[in-house]
Amino acid sequence: MKITLPFTLEMRESVKIGDVLELTGNIYTARDAAHGRIREAVEQGLPLPIDLKDKTIFYCGPCPAGPGRIIGPLGPTTSARMDPYVEMMFQQGMAACIGKGDRAPYVAEMCRKYKGLYLLGVGGAAALCANAVKEVEELAYPDLGTESIKRYYVEDFKVVVGIDAQGRTIQEENIRRYRRR
Amino acid sequence: MMRVLNTKELIPVIRGLCIQACQHLSPNVTDALKDARRREESPLCQEILDMLIENADYADKNNLACCQDTGMTLIFMEIGQEVCWEGEPLMEAVNEGVRQGYQDGYLRKSVVADPIRRVNTRDNTPAVLHTEIVPGDQVTITVLPKGAGSENMCHVSMLTPADGVEGIKKAVLDAVDYAGGKPCPPLVIGIGIGGTMDKAAVLSKQALRREIGNRNPQPHLAELEEELLKEINDSGIGALGMGGTVTALDVHVEAYPTHIACLPLAITFQCHACRHAQAVL
């Protein structure tokens, strides 16, 4: 299913777990350290480094770009480390996040409550994933190096819906189907 | 007869091994992924495995890191006891090799200087170095970049003798279920049993040096590997935790004598890109 970002509420409510989406548009990287700083800014009432309204956040720290490339290999990092920040990010307007691996049960509840999505990138397909990125712009926290906030304009960036806006999780339903012990 | 080696000889070797391990998966690993693709029953996981196989090939041909998490650099050196070192301190040479490899290979720098203050060292040093003194006059170097998605799922249990094999199996399967898709399955799982806590942990890492498909030469440990592999694949976790029939590519068990009161167990998770490269000096 082809999706043009940003996600609208209608789009978020229409996709369901297991759907394979090809995203075109802007996504924004933030992982452990950037989330820590965003939380500090929110707690202190300071301006945020980017407006999070309707944004799709990508839990990602890329490799440096080699010669002739705009970005190095990149892919999703383990999302569970960002679980404690999810509600704050939804409250600031985040529409969806992209990462890998299962999450705490309360994240599914947050997705239901805020009509948000958790999308699974393909962990470890980093050389291919980088080809989907057509533009790169560093927006905040350059001192964090690979962990800075960057805007990627992507074309047909492949993700799988991991938690949908009804709060259903792919792991819970699919793993049960194939479990033999 | 002593063989004199200058530590600076290590620098280009380790530089090359860092790049080799991160950019070029071994045929042993890519064959295991292709075999997993043949056995996988879930259409979604089949699609994921196809992408991983294509990615490994693309990374190899274009000299790119196959995964953006190029890890903390774990290095094993088996040093022949007839080797006599000269030159700069050995650890400095090892770190210089890592520094050059991560710079020249455009690999991600993922190491912070202090676990509490967390400022990036910006050159991926220091490495974690394990040395063993062995007979002979050669030095075998294995570089094993260790990504954090899998490393964060590692587990140590200080079991008791009464727990026995059943206790070992339960602890491993519980750890696999808890980890789910986080460590990027299909996994290679290294298991260290025996010794002390630290010995078991190192054994579980050393187990990852073994080729996928090779069994422990001791029959009772080979049997344990086979049984665990089957039960792990019955977990239903599948590629990247999306639900499927192949959760592990292999399980490698290494054991060591232990105390009459002890049964230490360490489990190292390794992701589907079971990266390592080796050279002999």
Side-chain angles (χ1 to χ4, degrees), chain B residues 2-259:
Chain B
M2 294 304 283
R3 178 182 176 212
V4 178
L5 281 176
N6 194 299
T7 54
K8 74 180 177 202
E9 291 178 53
L10 291 168
I11 297 171
V13 174
I14 289 175
R15 172 194 177 277
L17 291 174
C18 291
I19 295 172
Q20 172 73 25
C22 289
Q23 295 183 348
H24 309 283
L25 288 190
S26 72
N28 178 245
V29 174
T30 52
D31 287 349
L33 286 170
K34 288 171 190 165
D35 184 53
R37 169 66 178 82
R38 280 190 287 274
R39 287 183 288 126
E40 178 57 59
E41 292 170 25
S42 146
L44 183 56
C45 288
Q46 289 174 355
E47 193 175 340
I48 300 289
L49 289 165
D50 280 337
M51 258 185 93
L52 297 179
I53 293 162
E54 187 190 347
N55 178 70
D57 183 57
Y58 183 80
D60 178 52
K61 289 190 173 127
N62 291 281
N63 299 318
L64 293 168
C66 63
C67 176
Q68 78 285 348
D69 187 353
T70 48
M72 187 161 194
T73 318
L74 182 57
I75 301 179
F76 295 100
M77 284 178 63
E78 294 163 87
I79 303 170
Q81 64 188 22
E82 289 158 44
V83 170
C84 176
W85 294 102
E86 62 172 23
E88 295 298 308
L90 185 135
M91 195 64 207
E92 283 180 24
V94 166
N95 284 333
E96 183 57 26
V98 170
R99 187 175 291 120
Q100 292 184 12
Y102 277 68
Q103 184 66 38
D104 298 347
Y106 299 94
L107 309 178
R108 196 178 80 183
K109 288 68 175 179
S110 310
V111 174
V112 292
D114 180 286
I116 312 255
R117 293 175 174 160
R118 307 200 72 83
V119 177
N120 198 305
T121 63
R122 295 192 173 268
D123 60 7
N124 222 54
T125 68
V128 173
L129 175 67
H130 294 296
T131 55
E132 298 161 78
I133 305 299
V134 298
D137 66 355
Q138 292 188 324
V139 180
T140 303
I141 305 161
T142 309
V143 169
L144 204 149
K146 193 66 182 65
S150 59
E151 187 63 14
N152 278 344
M153 294 297 110
C154 295
H155 183 80
V156 172
S157 281
M158 299 306 285
L159 302 175
T160 66
D163 292 321
V165 174
E166 288 313 310
I168 291 169
K169 281 190 190 168
K170 182 175 185 308
V172 172
L173 295 176
D174 285 350
V176 168
D177 283 340
Y178 173 76
K182 295 185 201 76
C184 283
L187 308 162
V188 177
I189 298 178
I191 297 174
I193 307 172
T196 47
M197 181 199 71
D198 50 307
K199 181 68 182 176
V202 173
L203 285 174
S204 75
K205 287 285 187 300
Q206 289 172 335
L208 299 176
R209 294 186 297 195
R210 203 197 307 163
E211 293 258 290
I212 294 167
N214 286 0
R215 295 270 77 89
N216 188 301
Q218 296 195 69
H220 71 295
L221 298 177
E223 191 182 334
L224 177 60
E225 291 174 348
E226 296 278 0
E227 287 171 7
L228 281 171
L229 182 59
K230 184 184 177 306
E231 295 212 34
I232 289 166
N233 283 330
D234 285 345
S235 68
I237 292 166
L240 299 178
M242 300 212 193
T245 55
V246 183
T247 301
L249 301 173
D250 212 345
V251 178
H252 295 156
V253 174
E254 297 292 336
Y256 193 81
T258 190
H259 188 279

Side-chain angles (χ1 to χ4, degrees), chain A residues 116-175:
Chain A
L117 299 174
Y118 170 46
L119 307 171
L120 295 161
V122 181
L128 283 183
C129 283
N131 286 342
V133 178
K134 306 301 177 187
E135 280 175 34
V136 178
E137 181 187 10
E138 189 167 66
L139 297 178
Y141 309 145
D143 61 301
L144 293 180
T146 186
E147 293 200 70
S148 68
I149 295 182
K150 299 177 193 71
R151 178 182 66 85
Y152 292 162
Y153 182 84
V154 295
E155 282 178 11
D156 295 331
F157 184 74
K158 197 186 272 193
V159 295
V160 179
V161 179
I163 305 176
D164 61 26
Q166 284 77 51
R168 294 169 64 206
T169 64
I170 190 173
Q171 286 93 350
E172 207 169 287
E173 303 194 11
N174 280 11
I175 291 174

Side-chain angles (χ1 to χ4, degrees), chain A residues 53-102:
Chain A
K53 177 116 182 72
D54 296 332
K55 296 290 193 298
T56 295
I57 299 296
F58 185 20
Y59 302 147
C60 169
C63 284
R69 293 182 181 270
I70 58 167
I71 192 76
L74 58 95
T77 192
T78 308
S79 306
R81 296 193 313 275
M82 268 55 78
D83 287 352
Y85 303 109
V86 163
E87 180 154 38
M88 171 203 77
M89 295 294 280
F90 277 140
Q91 285 170 346
Q92 299 302 317
M94 178 177 78
C97 48
I98 306 170
K100 71 176 174 75
D102 26 353

